Each structure stands twice: as C-alpha cells, then as structure tokens.
Amino acid sequence: MYGTCILYSLVPFYLDITEVLVNLNNTFQSIIGFGGAFTDAAGINIQSLSASTQKNLLASYFSTEGIEYTLGRIPMASCDFSMHPYSYDDNSGDFNLTKFSLTQEDKKFKIPIIQAVMRTYKRNLTLFASPWSAPAWMKTNKNMTGKGTLVGEPGGPYFKTWAMYFVKFLKAYAKEGIPIWGVTGQNEPTDGFITNFSFQAMGWTPEMQRDFIVKDLGPALQQNSLGHVKIMILDDSRLQLPYWAEQVFRSEEARKYVSGVAVHWYQDFITPAVALSSTHKKFPEKFILATEACSGAMPWDIPKVSLGSWKRGEDYAHDIIQDLNNFVSGWTDWNIALNMEGGPNWVKNFVDSPVIVNAKSDEFYKQPMFYALGHFSKFILPMSKRVELVPNQNLPKDMYIVGFQRPDKAIACILLNRSNENITLALRDPSTGYINTDLTPHSIQTVLWWPS
C-alpha cells in the first residue's frame, strides 16, 4: 500500500509536464485529524469477531502498522445505527436529570472499544460527540423520531435541561477515562423538520441553535468546568453554508462560545466546495470539520455494500482533497465497521463502510475507501499545516492535489488521478529539487519527503 521510493532530480524528467511549486511560505489551516464513528453498530460488528480478529481490526485503523486514525465521533445515546431508540433519561419530567445514566449500549459497544484504542495505540485520539434527539418527553411531538423540536424556547426549562444533558454525558464519559474534546449542537438539525422522519432527529433553525448556545449550552459548560470543550454548529451538509454560520455568528456571545463549523458530505454533489471557503473567509477564526460521510446512503446507491468498489474509494479521496483545499481541518467517516448488509440499523437505513465484517467467517474486509482514507490519516498528522501548491499550468483533467507540512517538518502531498490517462507530475521544492511521479489511471499516491 505504501512505501514506493520516488527519486529527486535537479530538473523535471520531461520538460513539457505539469510542474507544481510547493510553497512553504504560504500556509493555511491546521489539521485536527482523520477518523470515524464509534456507533452501536460498529461495536456490535467488531464484537461479533473472535478476540484476535477484533484486535487485528482495531490495529488496522489505529496502529502504526495500520492507517493511524486520530479522530473519533460518538453518538450521544442512540442513532439509526442502534438496535432501537433510547436516551439517557426516559423519565418524564426529570428536569434535574436525577435518573440520567449511560446505557448498556455505551457500556458494551462504545466505551470498551474506545478504551482499548486509547490504551493500546500510539497516537492521541481526539473525540467529539453528537446528539440525534433529546428524550421523547422533552420534545414537541413526544417522540425521538419524526418532526419535532425541544419544547419551549432557548432559556426555558427544557433547553436548560437539554444543556445539562450534555454536561452529564461529558462527565459520565470522563469518569470512564474518555475525555471528550468537542460536541456538535445537533446531528443534521434540519431532519427534525421533516414530517414522519424515520429515525432519531430534532429540529433546529440556526437562530434556535445560536440562542441555545448563548443562553444554555455555553454557560452550562462554563459553569461545570467544561469550558474547554469545543462547540461546533451545523453538523449538516454544506448546502446550508455560509447562511447557517452567518445567522449564528451575528451574536458576539455565540462567537465567544463556538469554536467551529461541522459539515456532512451527503449533498456535496449539489453545492460546490466554495461554500466552505466563503465561510472561512467570513469567519477565519472558526475551524471547519467534516464530521460524517459514507457511501451507499442515497436511494439510488445499489447495492448498499459494494465490496471492493474502487469508485467509492475515489469518491472519498476526491471529497477529502476538495474539503482540505477549502479550509476543512479534518474528515470523519461514519461507522468504522458494518456487516455484510450495511448494518445493523434499526430502520434498515443500510450503507457502506471502509471495513465490512463477515462474522460467520470471522473475517473483515478492508475496502478501497479504507485505503483512500489511509493516505490522509496516516501521513497528514494533527497540527500539520496546508501549504500552497502552485501549478505552472492548469492541472490535467480529473487530477487533484493537496499538500501539507507536518509538525516533524516533512512535506506530504496527496495526488489523485481520476482520469483514464497516465499523468506525470513534477513537484518542485526549492530546497530539494524536483520530485517526479507517474500516476496511473484511477490511482492515488502520497509523496512524503523532508526538505533539505
């Protein structure tokens, strides 16, 4: 997968090829990390394997021999990739959350796997959490699914209780030795405005989210020694940018509490990546983080699990490069492991995953999506900075590139050729010379070197 030696030269091998200047004097956003989500479904699938196969699966993602993930997402209570809907406090009227408690799903499918990763592997794991729905009794429709919002208005008792729900969750995971770096305000907040929405959701407008953060969530975290936890807004498609950020950041108080903007990939084919750059330009002090992506999610994606699909691997690499070139600071896949059907999922909303588990054979399959992600997660370390890449002419059609300088001063450039043609590039580092590389059709390469 990795390890090809690329030779330096004082001149390009061919005088008419595209030459790309690597300009270390012009740098952009810093990287938070790359990773995936610790869902109930992922835990169920991982634990369906023998102990040795489980160890190999986790090592594939997190070890130095694997692709060294550094980022993880945790659903707060249930989501569609659970076996059933559940919350941490289903006791109606418990505004003080006296009966709040983690569930057997946390204790069996999430916490043990996260703990195993944290104690076993070298790189630090940055974790963030996202809620899908408040308990049913706190919502206007009295259901965790369907069309509904929190009862009342920001600053009211239901919103105060919901803010404390975050606090309780963060403290409960910290007690298990799992510190949470950040939270998103709500997974896909527009889902909760869809009549008969099939799985857990809760509706928020940007104005509601802004006022909840200002009046409830931000102060609750501060008052409970959790002011260091990063709050992210949106957690939905970039179709809603920069509008969502503009509405939230009208408030100086919201700007004080919010650290970043979370985005999903599902409608990226509709909205150009310039939506990300324009958001960064308006609010350069706020990071942008890609917090969910998966193949097989659209109704026309048949089959849901497509073993060995090179196109899905290419789609991942293309989306990540687009995001990174438009100020995104990291990229989070959805479930880190699913079964052969693309589940379990309690509403049969099956999708694909970079790792597919075949429990009957005690096997798991690492798909092209896994290896595509590895080019980024393994070689672009946290705190790496994107560097300017300047081609001497237009890049060949369907050629995509991005480059970073890492904390160890190494340069990592990821090159994706989606075309049916061979492409030759010369990367020019003024301190080192030319690095000439050939890209075969439909290939991805990482070029790593230390400047002189």
Side-chain angles (χ1 to χ4, degrees):
M1 175 182 175
Y2 311 114
T4 301
C5 180
I6 309 251
L7 296 178
Y8 300 120
S9 68
L10 295 177
V11 295
F13 283 169
Y14 308 102
L15 295 179
D16 61 344
I17 66 172
T18 301
E19 177 186 313
V20 179
L21 170 66
V22 181
N23 181 12
L24 302 183
N25 295 318
N26 196 11
T27 61
F28 306 100
Q29 80 273 22
S30 294
I31 287 297
I32 295 167
F34 300 89
F38 295 95
T39 59
D40 291 350
I44 289 166
N45 287 310
I46 292 167
Q47 292 182 356
S48 72
L49 298 166
S50 66
S52 62
T53 307
Q54 287 183 43
K55 184 177 178 182
N56 287 338
L57 191 158
L58 292 178
S60 295
Y61 271 127
F62 298 100
S63 76
T64 53
E65 290 76 33
I67 61 174
E68 297 187 89
Y69 269 11
T70 56
L71 190 61
R73 186 185 192 206
I74 306 169
M76 286 172 56
S78 62
C79 66
D80 52 323
F81 282 91
S82 299
M83 298 300 287
H84 64 103
Y86 63 87
S87 83
Y88 295 136
D89 191 341
D90 288 325
N91 299 279
S92 182
D94 186 16
F95 288 99
N96 294 322
L97 299 176
T98 56
K99 295 181 180 178
F100 179 102
S101 66
L102 298 180
T103 65
Q104 62 176 357
E105 285 84 0
D106 293 274
K107 295 170 184 176
K108 186 175 181 182
F109 302 134
K110 297 175 189 171
I111 289 170
I113 291 171
I114 297 168
Q115 289 173 332
V117 170
M118 292 177 68
R119 69 171 174 262
T120 306
Y121 301 111
K122 179 180 174 183
R123 289 191 182 172
N124 289 332
L125 187 62
T126 297
L127 295 164
F128 66 95
S130 303
W132 266 246
S133 174
W137 62 270
M138 295 177 65
K139 294 177 63 182
T140 54
N141 61 334
K142 305 305 178 194
N143 198 318
M144 293 185 75
T145 68
K147 182 178 179 179
T149 64
L150 281 177
V151 174
E153 308 218 347
Y158 288 89
F159 284 77
K160 293 290 183 198
T161 298
W162 184 231
M164 284 306 299
Y165 190 99
F166 279 76
V167 169
K168 294 266 192 179
F169 169 82
L170 294 167
K171 289 189 171 182
Y173 264 69
K175 189 179 278 191
E176 299 290 341
I178 301 173
I180 305 294
W181 164 84
V183 294
T184 69
Q186 169 68 40
N187 177 74
E188 297 181 355
T190 54
D191 288 351
F193 292 117
I194 299 172
T195 301
N196 298 323
F197 192 78
S198 64
F199 58 86
Q200 297 91 317
M202 189 158 67
W204 296 82
T205 65
E207 294 81 5
M208 287 169 61
Q209 187 169 80
R210 175 194 66 208
D211 295 347
F212 168 62
I213 290 168
V214 169
K215 296 179 180 180
D216 307 299
L217 182 59
L221 295 182
Q222 294 280 359
Q223 292 161 13
N224 286 276
S225 303
L226 293 167
H228 60 280
V229 174
K230 310 292 185 188
I231 298 175
M232 291 172 272
I233 60 168
L234 188 56
D235 206 16
D236 209 335
S237 74
R238 68 189 187 204
L239 178 67
Q240 299 175 73
L241 290 175
Y243 175 78
W244 194 283
E246 290 169 345
Q247 301 313 304
V248 172
F249 295 138
R250 286 182 189 277
S251 163
E252 287 299 323
E253 281 292 292
R255 286 187 185 224
K256 181 179 79 173
Y257 288 122
V258 174
S259 297
V261 179
V263 293
H264 292 189
W265 93 324
Y266 298 105
Q267 295 173 338
D268 284 2
F269 61 91
I270 297 173
T271 310
V274 69
L276 302 167
S277 287
S278 63
T279 302
H280 170 79
K281 187 176 180 180
K282 289 173 182 286
F283 310 106
E285 75 282 7
K286 307 302 181 187
F287 65 78
I288 305 173
L289 183 65
T291 50
E292 187 181 312
C294 67
S295 289
M298 296 300 171
W300 53 84
D301 289 332
I302 302 296
K304 293 302 180 180
V305 173
S306 182
L307 286 177
S309 170
W310 191 261
K311 181 185 182 301
R312 290 183 177 184
E314 271 192 12
D315 289 345
Y316 265 39
H318 177 243
D319 194 81
I320 297 169
I321 291 173
Q322 267 202 332
D323 277 4
L324 295 175
N325 278 325
N326 287 275
F327 296 95
V328 169
S329 290
W331 206 88
T332 321
D333 186 41
W334 193 202
N335 305 271
I336 60 172
L338 292 175
N339 63 23
M340 300 288 285
E341 191 176 28
N345 182 294
W346 76 274
V347 290
K348 302 189 184 306
N349 182 30
F350 302 130
V351 300
D352 214 340
S353 171
V355 167
I356 294 296
V357 168
N358 183 345
K360 289 182 180 177
S361 302
D362 193 32
E363 294 176 340
F364 63 92
Y365 311 127
K366 294 186 281 191
Q367 302 219 67
M369 290 178 288
F370 171 91
Y371 292 103
L373 266 161
H375 281 272
F376 304 91
S377 61
K378 190 167 186 70
F379 297 111
I380 305 176
L381 310 181
M383 300 307 296
S384 296
K385 277 193 167 289
R386 181 164 65 90
V387 299
E388 184 181 32
L389 300 181
V390 187
N392 67 343
Q393 56 186 306
N394 289 336
L395 286 173
K397 189 175 185 298
D398 294 323
M399 177 77 210
Y400 305 91
I401 59 175
V402 69
F404 287 83
Q405 182 159 41
R406 310 190 322 179
D408 62 2
K409 303 305 180 185
I411 309 300
C413 286
I414 293 90
L415 318 172
L416 173 66
N417 177 9
R418 300 194 83 182
S419 78
N420 295 321
E421 308 293 330
N422 284 295
I423 295 176
T424 303
L425 281 183
L427 298 170
R428 181 165 73 89
D429 176 352
S431 74
T432 305
Y434 289 87
I435 302 167
N436 299 277
T437 180
D438 292 313
L439 290 102
T440 56
H442 299 283
S443 66
I444 180 170
Q445 290 184 15
T446 296
V447 184
L448 182 70
W449 76 95
W450 279 259
S452 300

